[in-house]
Amino acid sequence: AQSVTQLGSHVSVSEGALVLLRCNYSSSVPPYLFWYVQYPNQGLQLLLKYTSAATLVKGINGFEAEFKKSETSFHLTKPSAHMSDAAEYFCAVSQYSDMRFGAGTRLTVKP
Amino acid sequence: DADVTQTPRNRITKTGKRIMLECSQTKGHDRMYWYRQDPGLGLRLIYYSFDVKDINKGEISDGYSVSRQAQAKFSLSLESAIPNQTALYFCATSGQGYQPQHFGDGTRLSIL
């Protein structure tokens, strides 16, 4: 069965610092992987998706993620955090008919 | 207007009451989903539908039922609400294949 594990339920960075949010997946077939962001009182919005075309995926708001099959990872990064990046981030894996989400990582950005 | 609209946005009710949460979409997608979100657990799939005549149970369907009234409408019912169904509920839609899902803004449900 497919699943994702997000390492760290809370991550805190200073404004301007590197953002690294970790996601490892488990899938018996090549997966489709996604990162979503959730701002307060809103639904999830797609940041980026991996669909096997390229291992480095660029998304919105300066985020990118790299698919590493050998490590079964799909970590999300941003070179320089902005205050507006404070939100909850979800990694998800899709296989067959449904999508499975990780537990989420709450990102705090300090001034 | 939002592409995926959920009503109500907030609801407080009592144990044993029947509750219906509604979802409508203007994206023209065939696939619709209901999730619940609990702190520390992420989103868990309750039911999903790939077209009007197709309804499937998700990971946590016990205590819930759904109705796909039209391509654009998918409602979730709690026949007899219990306190541990207190959660944030999301409706989502997607296109065919491994497309990303598009979410409504959620319904915050509290059961006393």
Side-chain angles (χ1 to χ4, degrees):
Chain A
Q2 57 182 354
S3 65
V4 291
T5 302
Q6 291 184 241
L7 301 176
S9 58
H10 290 88
V11 170
S12 181
V13 301
S14 297
E15 190 173 20
L18 171 71
V19 175
L20 171 61
L21 305 182
R22 299 176 188 273
C23 172
N24 288 88
Y25 69 90
S26 171
S27 176
S28 58
V29 298
Y32 289 81
L33 295 160
F34 305 82
W35 275 100
Y36 289 86
V37 60
Q38 184 181 30
Y39 299 104
N41 299 314
Q42 294 184 25
L44 280 67
Q45 302 172 30
L46 180 69
L47 271 179
L48 51 80
K49 63 178 180 180
Y50 167 75
T51 56
S52 77
T55 56
L56 183 62
V57 183
K58 294 188 184 298
I60 62 172
N61 301 338
F63 284 93
E64 62 182 33
E66 186 172 9
F67 173 72
K68 292 187 176 180
K69 184 178 179 180
S70 60
E71 299 177 7
T72 60
S73 69
F74 190 57
H75 302 329
L76 183 70
T77 60
K78 182 174 181 178
S80 177
H82 192 273
M83 296 297 291
S84 62
D85 295 326
E88 189 153 21
Y89 292 79
F90 292 91
C91 183
V93 60
S94 183
Q95 181 184 344
Y96 307 123
S97 57
D98 64 356
M99 186 173 292
R100 296 296 175 104
F101 290 83
T105 298
R106 184 167 298 279
L107 176 67
T108 301
V109 182
K110 298 175 292 186
Chain B
D1 288 340
D3 294 325
V4 183
T5 303
Q6 293 185 233
T7 55
R9 290 295 313 278
N10 294 280
R11 178 78 184 270
I12 300 173
T13 191
K14 295 181 179 180
T15 298
K17 294 292 187 181
R18 184 178 189 274
I19 309 296
M20 180 180 284
L21 309 183
E22 298 186 346
C23 177
S24 63
Q25 53 119 343
T26 58
K27 298 195 70 68
H29 288 159
D30 288 326
R31 298 184 177 190
M32 298 187 73
Y33 310 81
W34 275 104
Y35 293 92
R36 65 176 280 175
Q37 182 180 18
D38 298 277
L41 296 178
L43 276 75
R44 292 179 292 166
L45 183 64
I46 305 172
Y47 271 95
Y48 63 100
S49 169
F50 280 5
D51 65 41
V52 175
K53 296 180 180 179
D54 176 74
I55 302 288
N56 303 281
K57 293 183 177 180
E59 188 182 353
I60 53 161
S61 60
D62 287 350
Y64 302 94
S65 63
V66 291
S67 174
R68 185 80 184 266
Q69 300 96 323
Q71 187 211 31
K73 296 183 181 295
F74 192 37
S75 60
L76 176 72
S77 295
L78 289 67
E79 296 302 325
S80 179
I82 56 177
N84 75 1
Q85 292 176 313
T86 292
L88 186 55
Y89 289 83
F90 285 102
C91 175
T93 74
S94 74
Q96 300 285 331
Y98 299 100
Q99 296 300 312
Q101 295 182 7
H102 300 262
F103 286 80
D105 285 336
T107 294
R108 189 169 297 279
L109 179 61
S110 296
I111 300 165
L112 307 178

